[in-house]
Amino acid sequence: MIERTELSAWPLGQLFQPPQKQVNVLRLHGAIPFDGVVGEPVVLSRSTYDAALSSDSPYRAILARLFEDHVVLSIGVSWNDVALRDAAATARRKLPIARPMHYATLPQTGTTRDWWEQRALTASYGVRPLYYTQHTEVSQILDSIADLAVGRRTPTAASPLEEIASWLEEVGDYESRQQSSWFAQMPEGTPNWQATVSSIRRACRGRTIDPELWLACARIESHLRHFLWFWLPISERSETRRSLWTDIARHWSSFAPSTQSELWNSDELQAALSWRSKSIAPTSRALLQFAIGAHEVMNRAPYGPVVEDWRNRLSDLGRTGGSSITAKRARLAKQVWAPPASPKLLAQVQRAYWEGIEAKVALDLVEIRIKNETAARSTGDQGRPPTMRDWPNSLRADLFGQCDHVRELARVVGSTRREVGAIVLASFFIPADQAEGYLIAAYRRMTEMSAGRPEPTATWAVIIGLIAAYSDQAPGVDDGRLVPVLCEWLQDKCGRIPLDEPIAQAVEQVYAVFWKKFHRRAAGLAIGVARSLLASAG
């Protein structure tokens, strides 16, 4: 414990490099000891507080370093403290790529204030609220964090589907490190995502299915669909996602109308997704995500009555909601996953306050623009097209700004993969040495925030960006000669790079196929780098 009155004498080196693998507590405003504790109460008065904010006090410097270097969780802090807000805002501005995300336990009012407060804190200070309704819930939040940190209650791929579904929702969504790591694990030679797909298919194989088991399958599918997109080859992923979703959806008609009404609670969905900030029930959230899957997974592919039923279900929810957020998002769902994206669609998403999808559409738009610009460029010397770093300054500045906007938007909504995608795209338009620092900062943040086990899809997007920065400085070097040099350079800059046979296959069949649309040479080199690193590892 560090009391504020002791800050002037505190050895700052110990504070800035606290012991690892433990919680380190700083009492910002002093403390009143419990009964039986020896010592006078330490609580700052107005005058001592003002003194702590003086220019020669270490208080501001300490706060700034804390927000720059560590994940901060504030408890019992209203965030009205100007020095606290300034420190977080400074870190956000100073380290747009490398800064960690911070968290704050805050009381939930149940009004639209929560909705705006969450976005304001995240956008302005990089702080994500953890809401509670009763103060006694704070200890439960802390217990949950501790459980996740040590991996308590983590299921295996052979665990009941109900248990897997509950755990997936407890650890967040497909952006969370816990989910990414768990789906990629291969405890018995088969990755967990593949074993889970098989378990769902077995559960859906019969003519009927228990509603509780069906709901578990639907909950898992809303998470799993994202991993299928990143882990399966392009030739397989769309069909696998469609068939898995359809296998689950077709069982809905076997339920009695009363069971369907109990599960699909329109009133609950309307109340939770309108302007009111009522927390949505887990069942309603899962069914809403599953219904959106009828658009997201099917896209423009041919679909039958079962898909139409779920699309209509979502549309009916929107029609009964009038001008609610539910209605706006339900109407938009039909368009968002039917390419191509357009500025008009982006404006509609913004009016629906659907920031997560806004980041997706905004990223789609900048990708489309870059692809068009790339296709319009003529072949340069030695048969190679000019790199994006050779494009006119005004165009590069414009595209960098557009990518950076997507990066910040994705950061606010917690969409790591879209944030990383925007970071890598933006790196193509700045000098190679600057891009190197830009990307390494992103890589280190991912590594630090994942306890040394970064999610492989985001990791390899950054690796491809680094390969692009290096190879753009060696235009005359043959790719075969460049691969071993790149491997050594990447390991020097990034340390151990997550890699095994499935990841190497994904680099070749998925990541390289995607990124070659933007930087063909870097995508091709990534395949050689992955294979070379895999061979050297063992």
Side-chain angles (χ1 to χ4, degrees), residues 329-357:
R329 294 181 178 181
R331 289 192 292 267
L332 277 170
K334 295 181 179 180
Q335 305 174 49
V336 169
W337 287 280
S342 68
K344 180 180 179 182
L345 176 61
L346 179 60
Q348 291 175 322
V349 171
Q350 290 169 338
R351 285 195 292 271
Y353 304 99
W354 205 358
E355 292 93 338
I357 304 303

